[in-house]
Amino acid sequence: AQTVTQSQPEMSVQEAETVTLSCTYDTSESDYYLFWYKQPPSRQMILVIRQEAYKQQNATENRFSVNFQKAAKSFSLKISDSQLGDAAMYFCAYRSPNTGNQFYFGTGTSLTVIP
Amino acid sequence: GAVVSQHPSRVICKSGTSVKIECRSLDFQATTMFWYRQFPKKSLMLMATSNEGSKATYEQGVEKDKFLINHASLTLSTLTVTSAHPEDSSFYICSATGWETLAKNIQYFGAGTRLSVL
């Protein structure tokens, strides 16, 4: 099975500043999907951003962007202009096209936003 | 994005009783639904994958007779925790994906159910 590693259990950022959350994965596949999900205190999992491996261009969604390095198997999330509402657990996820839509999740990074 | 509704959000039951949790896709056809269990401050642990109209596939170590999953329609899957015990107390989350553009290759999650077994 694919493994997804988030090496930062906790991160903090000052409001309005930028923070980068890291994610690496292990795979032998060439075509796959990567995701970042956010889980705020309500525990509702919310899709933040996704990236198709065949696309070289990094995905961007408003203040959220990724740095996808396919050769390095790295998929970091950058949050710009951090807001108090960004405080949450962030999970990186890998989807293989060969395992029936199954996702593999990292262990999560808890982000604190300091006012 | 697509909407997945999960009900109930919280349930408290006595040991030995059964509890049913529902997961519905509201605006797309969910060809595949997933059931996860999440412990405090931990990641999601996949329990089973269910495809509409077929038997669920359980992950290793998950008792299929204890956690009954039914995915009888393209918009509804249920998880029944049978003869619940205190160790089954946890946060259970469902997710769904489908072939429509809205939900293709993405898992959309329900809000979760907190189960407390007394």
Side-chain angles (χ1 to χ4, degrees), chain A:
Chain A
Q2 282 74 12
T3 56
V4 178
T5 302
Q6 292 179 249
S7 59
Q8 306 154 315
E10 297 179 347
M11 290 283 284
S12 62
V13 62
Q14 206 76 32
E15 195 176 2
E17 296 296 309
T18 296
V19 65
T20 298
L21 309 183
S22 66
C23 172
T24 59
Y25 55 94
D26 183 27
T27 185
S28 58
E29 298 171 327
S30 59
D31 189 22
Y32 47 86
Y33 298 83
L34 296 164
F35 304 83
W36 278 99
Y37 281 89
K38 167 185 176 181
Q39 188 179 40
S42 68
R43 303 191 77 172
Q44 168 77 62
M45 292 282 284
I46 301 166
L47 177 65
V48 175
I49 199 166
R50 70 169 175 165
Q51 175 83 41
E52 291 91 343
Y54 65 86
K55 290 187 178 178
Q56 293 188 341
Q57 187 172 8
N58 290 324
T60 299
E61 287 287 342
N62 300 314
R63 297 182 295 107
F64 299 88
S65 61
V66 299
N67 183 4
F68 173 48
Q69 301 289 327
K70 191 172 183 179
K73 298 178 185 175
S74 171
F75 182 62
S76 61
L77 174 69
K78 185 171 83 171
I79 306 174
S80 303
D81 186 26
S82 297
Q83 300 175 358
L84 294 178
D86 295 333
M89 279 289 286
Y90 285 82
F91 292 99
C92 178
Y94 172 104
R95 176 191 177 275
S96 163
N98 300 316
T99 55
N101 294 313
Q102 184 174 342
F103 278 29
Y104 299 89
F105 286 92
T107 50
T109 296
S110 177
L111 178 66
T112 300
V113 181
I114 303 167

Side-chain angles (χ1 to χ4, degrees), chain B residues 37 45-47 58-64 66-67:
Chain B
R37 184 171 179 176
M45 182 186 78
L46 180 65
M47 298 175 65
Y58 290 81
E59 294 299 301
Q60 192 171 10
V62 178
E63 300 176 58
K64 65 175 78 174
K66 180 164 192 63
F67 299 99

